[in-house]
Amino acid sequence: MLAKRIIPCLDVKDGRTVKGVNFVDLKDAGDPVELAWQYSKQGADELVFLDITATHEGRKTTMDLVKEVARQINIPFTIGGGINELADAERLLNAGADKISINSAAVKNPNLLDEMARAFGVQFVVLAVDTRSIDGKNYVHLRGGRERTEIETEHWIAQAQDRGAGEILLTSMDHDGTKNGFDLPLLTKINQTVQIPVIASGGAGNQEHFVDVFHQTGVDAALAASVFHYGTIRIPELKETLQKSGVPIRPVFK
């Protein structure tokens, strides 16, 4: 069985790492370059960098900061925010990205997924999906959660997989920042309907939440932000807990 992955996420705004609850009330969480270095050193399996206001502000991802972060780490690096065309993805690849995360632009132009998969390979394309439950159904949200669509989450993910998305980064907006645990029913449903890896995001508050998400949903990776940024959970201790609970995990090399 493949080892499960632990992935810290740097939500970046105005050059600083930020974190909120349900995508609002953002608070400063530190210097992204310093945090990236710490996570790489602690044994994170990958790192995600999301320029969370790039799409909303109609601009490209901050390239200088991306390059600075890339220089500090020796683990796979996923970058998202403001990616609207192949040239954007190519620039990020040259700046140090191993994968790119695309959200709003793919919903507006699904052909972009096909184009990126053909140009760079499916392993390069991570589809980020921000979803919220409304009247018992899950709907895709865009522009950092600001814009609701009428697209049902399950349908969109199935389509994206067919178009060449190599991985799904699924964030439950209802759980995001609450520290009450991941959205286990939704993650289980999505993981059972796709053949590509699913990254769980939104709701981690303690180590048991990670144990639960791996044991109960079968997802390939779990992503979190504030619990790592503020030191509530340290990655070496988390990996030890997961290992003891029978979750296959890459060890931390000291």
Side-chain angles (χ1 to χ4, degrees), residues 162-201:
D162 292 341
R163 286 181 173 275
E167 201 163 15
I168 303 296
L169 169 53
L170 184 61
T171 301
S172 167
M173 293 175 64
D174 300 306
H175 287 242
D176 178 74
T178 64
K179 300 185 182 177
N180 292 327
F182 294 96
D183 190 335
L184 302 178
L186 175 63
L187 289 162
T188 300
K189 186 194 296 185
I190 297 298
N191 196 53
Q192 287 173 348
T193 58
V194 297
Q195 286 75 54
I196 55 178
V198 174
I199 303 169
S201 169

Short mmCIF file of all heavy atoms in Angstrom, two decimals, residues 162-201:
data_model
loop_
_atom_site.label_atom_id
_atom_site.label_comp_id
_atom_site.label_asym_id
_atom_site.label_seq_id
_atom_site.Cartn_x
_atom_site.Cartn_y
_atom_site.Cartn_z
N ASP A 162 -11.88 12.86 -15.99
CA ASP A 162 -11.92 12.43 -17.39
C ASP A 162 -11.10 13.36 -18.28
O ASP A 162 -10.56 12.93 -19.31
CB ASP A 162 -13.37 12.40 -17.90
CG ASP A 162 -14.19 11.30 -17.24
OD1 ASP A 162 -13.58 10.36 -16.68
OD2 ASP A 162 -15.44 11.39 -17.26
N ARG A 163 -10.98 14.62 -17.88
CA ARG A 163 -10.26 15.59 -18.70
C ARG A 163 -8.75 15.60 -18.44
O ARG A 163 -8.02 16.28 -19.15
CB ARG A 163 -10.82 17.00 -18.48
CG ARG A 163 -12.17 17.22 -19.13
CD ARG A 163 -12.67 18.62 -18.91
NE ARG A 163 -13.87 18.91 -19.67
CZ ARG A 163 -13.88 19.34 -20.93
NH1 ARG A 163 -12.73 19.51 -21.57
NH2 ARG A 163 -15.01 19.58 -21.54
N GLY A 164 -8.29 14.92 -17.39
CA GLY A 164 -6.85 14.85 -17.18
C GLY A 164 -6.33 15.37 -15.87
O GLY A 164 -5.11 15.47 -15.68
N ALA A 165 -7.22 15.72 -14.93
CA ALA A 165 -6.73 16.08 -13.59
C ALA A 165 -6.08 14.85 -12.98
O ALA A 165 -6.63 13.75 -13.04
CB ALA A 165 -7.88 16.56 -12.72
N GLY A 166 -4.91 15.03 -12.39
CA GLY A 166 -4.19 13.89 -11.84
C GLY A 166 -4.39 13.69 -10.36
O GLY A 166 -4.02 12.66 -9.79
N GLU A 167 -5.00 14.69 -9.71
CA GLU A 167 -5.18 14.65 -8.26
C GLU A 167 -6.27 15.66 -7.90
O GLU A 167 -6.44 16.66 -8.58
CB GLU A 167 -3.86 15.03 -7.59
CG GLU A 167 -3.71 14.56 -6.17
CD GLU A 167 -2.25 14.59 -5.71
OE1 GLU A 167 -1.42 15.24 -6.38
OE2 GLU A 167 -1.96 13.99 -4.68
N ILE A 168 -7.02 15.38 -6.82
CA ILE A 168 -8.07 16.29 -6.37
C ILE A 168 -7.71 16.81 -4.99
O ILE A 168 -7.47 16.03 -4.06
CB ILE A 168 -9.44 15.57 -6.28
CG1 ILE A 168 -9.83 14.95 -7.63
CG2 ILE A 168 -10.51 16.55 -5.78
CD1 ILE A 168 -10.06 15.93 -8.74
N LEU A 169 -7.66 18.13 -4.84
CA LEU A 169 -7.49 18.77 -3.54
C LEU A 169 -8.86 19.29 -3.13
O LEU A 169 -9.34 20.30 -3.63
CB LEU A 169 -6.47 19.91 -3.63
CG LEU A 169 -6.35 20.86 -2.42
CD1 LEU A 169 -6.14 20.09 -1.13
CD2 LEU A 169 -5.24 21.86 -2.64
N LEU A 170 -9.52 18.55 -2.24
CA LEU A 170 -10.92 18.83 -1.90
C LEU A 170 -11.02 19.53 -0.55
O LEU A 170 -10.72 18.95 0.49
CB LEU A 170 -11.70 17.51 -1.87
CG LEU A 170 -13.21 17.61 -1.62
CD1 LEU A 170 -13.89 18.43 -2.72
CD2 LEU A 170 -13.83 16.23 -1.53
N THR A 171 -11.46 20.78 -0.58
CA THR A 171 -11.59 21.57 0.65
C THR A 171 -13.06 21.77 0.99
O THR A 171 -13.82 22.35 0.20
CB THR A 171 -10.92 22.95 0.51
OG1 THR A 171 -9.53 22.77 0.21
CG2 THR A 171 -11.05 23.75 1.80
N SER A 172 -13.45 21.29 2.16
CA SER A 172 -14.81 21.54 2.65
C SER A 172 -14.84 22.91 3.32
O SER A 172 -14.23 23.11 4.37
CB SER A 172 -15.21 20.46 3.67
OG SER A 172 -16.38 20.85 4.36
N MET A 173 -15.54 23.84 2.71
CA MET A 173 -15.63 25.19 3.27
C MET A 173 -16.39 25.19 4.60
O MET A 173 -16.15 26.03 5.46
CB MET A 173 -16.32 26.12 2.27
CG MET A 173 -15.51 26.36 1.01
SD MET A 173 -16.42 27.35 -0.20
CE MET A 173 -16.59 28.90 0.71
N ASP A 174 -17.30 24.24 4.76
CA ASP A 174 -18.06 24.15 6.02
C ASP A 174 -17.15 23.75 7.18
O ASP A 174 -17.41 24.11 8.33
CB ASP A 174 -19.18 23.11 5.88
CG ASP A 174 -20.15 23.47 4.77
OD1 ASP A 174 -20.68 24.59 4.79
OD2 ASP A 174 -20.36 22.64 3.86
N HIS A 175 -16.10 23.01 6.89
CA HIS A 175 -15.20 22.53 7.94
C HIS A 175 -13.93 23.38 8.07
O HIS A 175 -13.25 23.32 9.09
CB HIS A 175 -14.79 21.08 7.65
CG HIS A 175 -15.89 20.09 7.89
ND1 HIS A 175 -15.80 19.08 8.84
CD2 HIS A 175 -17.11 19.96 7.34
CE1 HIS A 175 -16.92 18.38 8.83
NE2 HIS A 175 -17.73 18.88 7.92
N ASP A 176 -13.61 24.16 7.03
CA ASP A 176 -12.35 24.89 6.97
C ASP A 176 -12.13 25.77 8.20
O ASP A 176 -12.98 26.60 8.56
CB ASP A 176 -12.32 25.79 5.72
CG ASP A 176 -11.05 26.61 5.63
OD1 ASP A 176 -10.00 26.03 5.32
OD2 ASP A 176 -11.11 27.82 5.91
N GLY A 177 -11.01 25.57 8.87
CA GLY A 177 -10.62 26.41 10.00
C GLY A 177 -11.38 26.15 11.29
O GLY A 177 -11.09 26.77 12.32
N THR A 178 -12.35 25.22 11.27
CA THR A 178 -13.16 24.98 12.47
C THR A 178 -12.45 24.12 13.50
O THR A 178 -12.80 24.13 14.68
CB THR A 178 -14.48 24.28 12.11
OG1 THR A 178 -14.19 22.97 11.57
CG2 THR A 178 -15.27 25.09 11.08
N LYS A 179 -11.49 23.30 13.03
CA LYS A 179 -10.75 22.36 13.89
C LYS A 179 -11.67 21.29 14.51
O LYS A 179 -11.37 20.73 15.55
CB LYS A 179 -9.98 23.10 15.00
CG LYS A 179 -8.96 24.08 14.44
CD LYS A 179 -8.13 24.71 15.53
CE LYS A 179 -7.15 25.72 14.94
NZ LYS A 179 -6.36 26.40 15.97
N ASN A 180 -12.79 21.03 13.83
CA ASN A 180 -13.73 20.01 14.30
C ASN A 180 -13.60 18.69 13.55
O ASN A 180 -14.40 17.78 13.77
CB ASN A 180 -15.17 20.52 14.15
CG ASN A 180 -15.47 21.66 15.10
OD1 ASN A 180 -14.95 21.70 16.21
ND2 ASN A 180 -16.30 22.60 14.66
N GLY A 181 -12.60 18.60 12.67
CA GLY A 181 -12.40 17.36 11.92
C GLY A 181 -12.76 17.52 10.45
O GLY A 181 -13.49 18.44 10.05
N PHE A 182 -12.24 16.61 9.64
CA PHE A 182 -12.49 16.63 8.20
C PHE A 182 -13.93 16.22 7.89
O PHE A 182 -14.61 15.60 8.72
CB PHE A 182 -11.53 15.67 7.49
CG PHE A 182 -10.08 16.07 7.56
CD1 PHE A 182 -9.24 15.54 8.53
CD2 PHE A 182 -9.54 16.96 6.64
CE1 PHE A 182 -7.89 15.89 8.59
CE2 PHE A 182 -8.20 17.32 6.69
CZ PHE A 182 -7.37 16.78 7.68
N ASP A 183 -14.38 16.55 6.69
CA ASP A 183 -15.73 16.17 6.24
C ASP A 183 -15.68 14.71 5.77
O ASP A 183 -15.56 14.43 4.58
CB ASP A 183 -16.18 17.10 5.11
CG ASP A 183 -17.64 16.94 4.77
OD1 ASP A 183 -18.19 15.85 5.03
OD2 ASP A 183 -18.24 17.89 4.24
N LEU A 184 -15.80 13.79 6.70
CA LEU A 184 -15.61 12.37 6.41
C LEU A 184 -16.62 11.81 5.41
O LEU A 184 -16.24 11.08 4.49
CB LEU A 184 -15.60 11.56 7.71
CG LEU A 184 -14.53 11.97 8.74
CD1 LEU A 184 -14.65 11.11 9.99
CD2 LEU A 184 -13.12 11.85 8.15
N PRO A 185 -17.93 12.11 5.55
CA PRO A 185 -18.89 11.56 4.58
C PRO A 185 -18.61 12.01 3.14
O PRO A 185 -18.65 11.20 2.20
CB PRO A 185 -20.25 12.08 5.07
CG PRO A 185 -20.03 12.34 6.53
CD PRO A 185 -18.62 12.82 6.64
N LEU A 186 -18.33 13.31 2.96
CA LEU A 186 -18.05 13.82 1.61
C LEU A 186 -16.78 13.20 1.05
O LEU A 186 -16.75 12.76 -0.11
CB LEU A 186 -17.93 15.34 1.64
CG LEU A 186 -17.52 15.99 0.32
CD1 LEU A 186 -18.57 15.76 -0.76
CD2 LEU A 186 -17.26 17.49 0.50
N LEU A 187 -15.74 13.16 1.85
CA LEU A 187 -14.46 12.60 1.38
C LEU A 187 -14.60 11.13 1.02
O LEU A 187 -14.02 10.66 0.03
CB LEU A 187 -13.38 12.80 2.45
CG LEU A 187 -12.93 14.24 2.64
CD1 LEU A 187 -12.22 14.41 3.98
CD2 LEU A 187 -11.99 14.66 1.49
N THR A 188 -15.34 10.39 1.81
CA THR A 188 -15.57 8.96 1.52
C THR A 188 -16.28 8.81 0.18
O THR A 188 -15.88 8.00 -0.67
CB THR A 188 -16.41 8.30 2.63
OG1 THR A 188 -15.72 8.43 3.87
CG2 THR A 188 -16.66 6.83 2.35
N LYS A 189 -17.33 9.61 -0.03
CA LYS A 189 -18.11 9.53 -1.26
C LYS A 189 -17.24 9.85 -2.49
O LYS A 189 -17.25 9.12 -3.48
CB LYS A 189 -19.28 10.52 -1.20
CG LYS A 189 -20.23 10.41 -2.38
CD LYS A 189 -21.16 11.61 -2.46
CE LYS A 189 -22.07 11.72 -1.26
NZ LYS A 189 -23.05 12.84 -1.45
N ILE A 190 -16.48 10.94 -2.40
CA ILE A 190 -15.64 11.33 -3.54
C ILE A 190 -14.54 10.30 -3.78
O ILE A 190 -14.29 9.90 -4.93
CB ILE A 190 -15.01 12.72 -3.30
CG1 ILE A 190 -16.10 13.80 -3.21
CG2 ILE A 190 -14.00 13.06 -4.40
CD1 ILE A 190 -16.93 13.98 -4.45
N ASN A 191 -13.90 9.84 -2.72
CA ASN A 191 -12.79 8.89 -2.88
C ASN A 191 -13.26 7.58 -3.51
O ASN A 191 -12.49 6.91 -4.21
CB ASN A 191 -12.12 8.62 -1.53
CG ASN A 191 -10.76 7.97 -1.68
OD1 ASN A 191 -9.91 8.48 -2.42
ND2 ASN A 191 -10.56 6.84 -1.03
N GLN A 192 -14.51 7.20 -3.26
CA GLN A 192 -15.03 5.96 -3.82
C GLN A 192 -15.44 6.09 -5.29
O GLN A 192 -15.61 5.08 -5.97
CB GLN A 192 -16.24 5.50 -3.00
CG GLN A 192 -15.87 4.95 -1.63
CD GLN A 192 -17.07 4.65 -0.76
OE1 GLN A 192 -18.20 5.05 -1.07
NE2 GLN A 192 -16.85 3.96 0.36
N THR A 193 -15.57 7.34 -5.77
CA THR A 193 -16.04 7.52 -7.14
C THR A 193 -14.94 7.90 -8.13
O THR A 193 -15.18 7.96 -9.32
CB THR A 193 -17.15 8.60 -7.21
OG1 THR A 193 -16.63 9.83 -6.69
CG2 THR A 193 -18.37 8.18 -6.41
N VAL A 194 -13.73 8.18 -7.65
CA VAL A 194 -12.64 8.55 -8.55
C VAL A 194 -11.50 7.53 -8.46
O VAL A 194 -11.38 6.81 -7.48
CB VAL A 194 -12.09 9.97 -8.27
CG1 VAL A 194 -13.15 11.01 -8.51
CG2 VAL A 194 -11.53 10.07 -6.86
N GLN A 195 -10.69 7.51 -9.50
CA GLN A 195 -9.54 6.61 -9.53
C GLN A 195 -8.22 7.33 -9.31
O GLN A 195 -7.15 6.73 -9.35
CB GLN A 195 -9.49 5.87 -10.88
CG GLN A 195 -10.52 4.78 -11.06
CD GLN A 195 -11.91 5.32 -11.32
OE1 GLN A 195 -12.09 6.11 -12.24
NE2 GLN A 195 -12.87 4.92 -10.52
N ILE A 196 -8.29 8.63 -9.09
CA ILE A 196 -7.07 9.42 -8.88
C ILE A 196 -6.97 9.80 -7.40
O ILE A 196 -7.95 9.74 -6.68
CB ILE A 196 -7.07 10.69 -9.77
CG1 ILE A 196 -8.34 11.53 -9.54
CG2 ILE A 196 -6.92 10.32 -11.24
CD1 ILE A 196 -8.39 12.82 -10.34
N PRO A 197 -5.77 10.17 -6.93
CA PRO A 197 -5.60 10.50 -5.51
C PRO A 197 -6.45 11.68 -5.07
O PRO A 197 -6.67 12.63 -5.83
CB PRO A 197 -4.11 10.85 -5.41
CG PRO A 197 -3.47 10.17 -6.57
CD PRO A 197 -4.49 10.19 -7.67
N VAL A 198 -6.93 11.60 -3.83
CA VAL A 198 -7.71 12.68 -3.22
C VAL A 198 -6.96 13.19 -2.00
O VAL A 198 -6.51 12.41 -1.16
CB VAL A 198 -9.11 12.19 -2.80
CG1 VAL A 198 -9.86 13.29 -2.03
CG2 VAL A 198 -9.92 11.75 -4.02
N ILE A 199 -6.82 14.52 -1.92
CA ILE A 199 -6.21 15.18 -0.77
C ILE A 199 -7.34 15.80 0.05
O ILE A 199 -8.11 16.62 -0.46
CB ILE A 199 -5.23 16.29 -1.19
CG1 ILE A 199 -4.13 15.73 -2.11
CG2 ILE A 199 -4.61 16.96 0.03
CD1 ILE A 199 -3.29 16.80 -2.78
N ALA A 200 -7.45 15.42 1.32
CA ALA A 200 -8.47 15.97 2.21
C ALA A 200 -8.01 17.29 2.77
O ALA A 200 -6.87 17.42 3.23
CB ALA A 200 -8.75 14.98 3.34
N SER A 201 -8.91 18.28 2.77
CA SER A 201 -8.56 19.60 3.31
C SER A 201 -9.77 20.21 4.00
O SER A 201 -10.90 20.10 3.51
CB SER A 201 -8.10 20.51 2.16
OG SER A 201 -8.00 21.85 2.58
#
